Amino acid sequence: MSKHIFITGGVVSSLGKGLTTASLGMLLERRGLSVRLQKLDPYLNIDPGTMSPYQHGEVYVLDDGTETDLDLGHYERFTDAPLSRNCSWTSGRIYRNVLRRERRGKYLGKTVQIVHHITDEIKRAIRSLSGPEVDIVLTEVGGTVGDIEGLPFFEAIRQFALEVGRSNCLFIHLTLLPYLKTSFELKTKPTQHSVAQLRQIGISPDILVCRTEQSMSESEKEKISLFCNVPRQNVIEEKDAGTSVYEIPLYLYEQGLDRRVVEHFKFTEKNIRVEPDFADWMGTLNSLRNPEKEVGIALIGKYAKHKDAYKSVYEALSHAGIVNRAAVRVLGISSDSFQPGQLEGIDGIIIPGGFGERGIEGKIAAITAARLKKIPFLGICLGMQCAVVEFARNVLGWRDANSTEFDLKTTHPVISLLKTQENVSDKGGTMRLGAFPTRLLPGSCISACYKTETISERHRHRYEFNNAFRESLAAVGLRIGGISPDGALVEAIEIPDHPWFVGVQYHPEFLSQPNRPHPLFRDFIAAAIARKACTVPDR
């Protein structure tokens, strides 16, 4: 039987349950255990695909096309656990499954209720990751204990533990210890109240992970242990990360979190490693802590001041900095108000994916500057589409060139709706989603990055390069770097007479890890470093 760990949160939201879950998953993997991770989100949306990035940050896409919360990005960056649609469940999806079953007559004669029909479906979702090849399933419950919408999930995990036995389940509760600067003390009362709420639901946490900006004293740990009914050794301090979030697994290891888990489930030295192997991770952290140089990258987008909207892009840039031994200083610039003067001191420009007309002209102006001033450029999804529009307008002279997403009347629709999207009316989960193969063209800059002819990358878009204009654009210097295997879709473009100018229709940021940076980001940052090295200081 797979063992199950449930990670809940209290006191306030956004405490970092996703990072804690991912870090623990990494620690257990490095002890030789096979882990799976999943997120249960109480909101009623089927998935976050139709939400504004201001609500839940970026939409993270899996290989199978599932649109998920950004926490699953943490799972993939920290662990090697495979992710699928069974790793992301929302109230909307749970309720939809139950109501579809009701419409088919599955519950004839019965009143469909939260308990037990909804809770049974939640338990079914939890069991979907169990299997003989899986040692531990880590399930993060979104939201905060006490939230109305989260109650069915807490009831379901309470029932689940009763059914499989407490020896096969472990409850970890993440709380906040506020620090009052005026009195120079950490306050434990919010944690006590949070645990009390959890116990009223019928769940007694086995381990408390306490987020804090100041170290806990022994007396504070003992107080929490006494009033929360948790053994002293199971009160784990999770101090705010210093240099990077990638330090969190090591900090939790020092606090003994993975040892507590191993002891609870009675894993022995026969089937796990006594100590996890951190050699490669330590090398990664060493490079992160001791950069030899610095580069400035301008990230230009509609949500540039909201970092979580482009979370994976920021992380991929950091990973590329690690492998290049460089500190990557990212300047977020709103595309709504972009001015070329804002690029002073910038060594590279990146334009991430997105939707909607707002800010498009600012992005195009930034691409013009990148092209003319020979600044390394990486365009992702909409960023690539804007690069094609810019090239058509300013090199070919088609002043009205545009995407049909923004102008249906343009006489030069260089970006147009995918054929498969023409009769699609629903917005949620209907784009070209998930992993698709791309054939890279020999001699292209992008093939030099990957050092292979065929790649697989994740997509999330409705619009695509219009093949009707492929020859015209290629004739004046826009090179096609990658296409779909059947040749029907352009997946990557580049400018050969530019030091480094690449646009891709897919999202390479989703496949980057701190110890395995994505080749496109790696080479983009390398090009930015090279430009800085050969550019006069007063540029």
Side-chain angles (χ1 to χ4, degrees):
M1 176 185 289
S2 301
K3 309 297 184 183
H4 288 265
I5 299 175
F6 297 101
I7 298 93
T8 59
V11 182
V12 295
S13 60
S14 302
L15 273 182
K17 291 193 300 297
L19 282 167
T20 301
T21 301
S23 297
L24 178 56
M26 174 189 161
L27 293 176
L28 296 174
E29 267 192 350
R30 287 172 181 250
R31 282 183 176 269
L33 294 165
S34 171
V35 305
R36 297 292 185 271
L37 303 96
Q38 70 178 179
K39 175 85 180 282
L40 305 179
D41 266 312
Y43 53 74
L44 282 172
N45 303 66
I46 301 298
D47 55 51
T50 58
M51 292 187 199
S52 162
Y54 290 122
Q55 295 287 311
H56 274 261
E58 74 174 359
V59 176
Y60 191 82
V61 180
L62 306 183
D63 275 350
D64 64 7
T66 304
E67 294 176 290
T68 75
D69 182 85
L70 62 78
D71 278 329
L72 275 79
H74 296 315
Y75 300 170
E76 284 205 312
R77 286 188 284 273
F78 282 76
T79 77
D80 292 319
L83 298 184
S84 69
R85 66 191 309 271
N86 288 332
C87 299
S88 179
W89 296 84
T90 67
S91 287
R93 189 175 165 201
I94 293 290
Y95 279 72
R96 182 181 65 177
N97 288 355
V98 170
L99 292 175
R100 281 177 173 173
R101 210 171 282 123
E102 187 272 336
R103 291 291 85 185
R104 291 195 299 266
K106 179 70 174 179
Y107 310 119
L108 281 181
K110 297 179 181 177
T111 301
V112 179
Q113 297 177 294
I114 303 297
V115 180
H116 60 95
H117 298 96
I118 295 299
T119 52
D120 281 354
E121 185 65 17
I122 295 170
K123 289 184 287 184
R124 193 176 292 113
I126 294 167
R127 289 191 178 94
S128 67
L129 292 182
S130 300
E133 76 287 357
V134 178
D135 294 312
I136 298 180
V137 177
L138 291 89
T139 300
E140 174 192 352
V141 181
T144 306
V145 61
D147 294 345
I148 292 174
E149 60 266 32
L151 288 175
F153 290 92
F154 285 100
E155 171 61 16
I157 64 176
R158 182 197 69 79
Q159 293 178 14
F160 188 91
L162 187 66
E163 292 168 6
V164 303
R166 288 294 276 113
S167 61
N168 293 311
C169 276
L170 177 71
F171 290 104
I172 297 177
H173 192 54
L174 182 66
T175 73
L176 175 69
L177 296 181
Y179 178 71
L180 299 186
K181 294 181 180 179
T182 52
S183 57
F184 306 102
E185 62 179 338
L186 290 171
K187 304 303 291 185
T188 66
K189 191 65 71 175
T191 290
Q192 295 176 42
H193 282 302
S194 179
V195 172
Q197 278 188 299
L198 199 60
R199 292 172 69 183
Q200 285 177 347
I201 295 170
I203 297 171
S204 293
D206 300 291
I207 296 174
L208 288 179
V209 176
C210 303
R211 279 292 308 276
T212 172
E213 57 181 298
Q214 299 290 332
S215 295
M216 301 165 62
S217 66
E218 284 302 315
S219 62
E220 287 163 339
K221 292 179 182 179
E222 290 171 1
K223 184 178 181 180
I224 291 171
S225 170
L226 177 65
F227 287 103
C228 296
N229 199 37
V230 173
R232 160 64 190 80
Q233 68 271 20
N234 287 6
V235 178
I236 305 294
E237 176 183 291
E238 187 178 40
K239 199 173 177 182
D240 291 353
T243 306
S244 165
V245 294
Y246 300 118
E247 295 180 339
I248 295 175
L250 297 182
Y251 193 80
L252 292 177
Y253 168 72
E254 292 170 358
Q255 296 292 307
L257 179 58
D258 56 314
R259 289 194 293 277
R260 302 287 86 80
V261 171
V262 167
E263 290 168 1
H264 178 88
F265 289 128
K266 294 182 171 57
F267 288 116
T268 67
E269 295 178 12
K270 295 178 182 178
N271 53 10
I272 65 165
R273 299 191 189 102
V274 177
E275 295 294 336
D277 180 9
F278 292 123
D280 65 320
W281 201 259
M282 291 301 295
T284 296
L285 285 177
N286 182 60
S287 295
L288 185 64
R289 293 165 178 162
N290 302 290
E292 299 171 355
K293 44 198 164 293
E294 179 183 277
V295 288
I297 303 298
L299 185 150
I300 301 169
K302 197 160 58 171
Y303 308 102
K305 301 302 181 183
H306 182 53
K307 291 181 69 171
D308 277 356
Y310 308 115
K311 183 65 177 177
S312 292
V313 174
Y314 275 91
E315 294 304 315
L317 288 169
S318 173
H319 306 161
I322 291 170
V323 73
N324 282 289
R325 301 303 293 261
V328 179
R329 173 177 54 85
V330 183
L331 174 65
I333 300 175
S334 173
S335 56
D336 290 338
S337 56
F338 170 78
Q339 296 295 325
Q342 293 174 283
L343 298 178
E344 185 68 28
I346 289 299
D347 307 300
I349 296 172
I350 186 166
I351 296 185
F355 300 91
E357 188 176 5
R358 182 166 66 85
I360 291 298
E361 296 305 320
K363 295 175 183 179
I364 290 173
I367 295 168
T368 300
R371 182 173 56 82
L372 296 178
K373 294 182 179 181
K374 306 297 184 183
I375 304 173
F377 169 80
L378 176 58
I380 296 172
C381 197
L382 180 59
M384 185 204 88
Q385 295 173 7
C386 288
V388 174
V389 171
E390 191 279 334
F391 200 86
R393 288 182 184 179
N394 299 323
V395 178
L396 271 170
W398 297 341
R399 303 309 301 171
D400 75 330
N402 215 328
S403 166
T404 55
E405 181 181 4
F406 314 127
D407 183 5
L408 287 171
K409 296 180 180 179
T410 175
T411 59
H412 296 96
V414 292
I415 303 296
S416 59
L417 191 68
L418 283 159
K419 293 290 185 183
T420 55
Q421 293 288 312
E422 289 178 352
N423 297 314
V424 173
S425 57
D426 284 357
K427 296 293 185 184
T430 57
M431 286 181 274
R432 185 180 183 223
L433 291 165
F436 293 91
T438 293
R439 179 163 58 87
L440 304 181
L441 302 187
S444 62
C445 172
I446 194 168
S447 67
C449 291
Y450 285 93
K451 296 180 173 58
T452 185
E453 294 182 357
T454 303
I455 59 172
S456 176
E457 294 278 4
R458 297 175 188 175
H459 294 246
R460 184 175 184 254
H461 60 106
R462 297 187 193 278
Y463 292 81
E464 185 64 82
F465 187 111
N466 190 337
N467 284 318
F469 300 96
R470 188 189 292 195
E471 290 186 8
S472 298
L473 289 162
V476 292
L478 189 72
R479 182 164 66 189
I480 306 304
I483 57 177
S484 57
D486 61 4
L489 300 174
V490 172
E491 305 285 37
I493 57 97
E494 56 191 57
I495 299 178
D497 63 355
H498 189 285
W500 208 92
F501 190 107
V502 172
V504 294
Q505 185 57 70
Y506 49 82
H507 289 266
E509 68 270 25
F510 293 151
L511 296 184
S512 188
Q513 293 181 299
N515 50 351
R516 289 194 292 272
H518 193 282
L520 274 182
F521 281 88
R522 178 200 64 210
D523 287 8
F524 168 61
I525 293 300
I529 293 170
R531 180 179 190 272
K532 183 173 184 176
C534 67
T535 305
V536 292
D538 62 350
R539 71 177 188 276

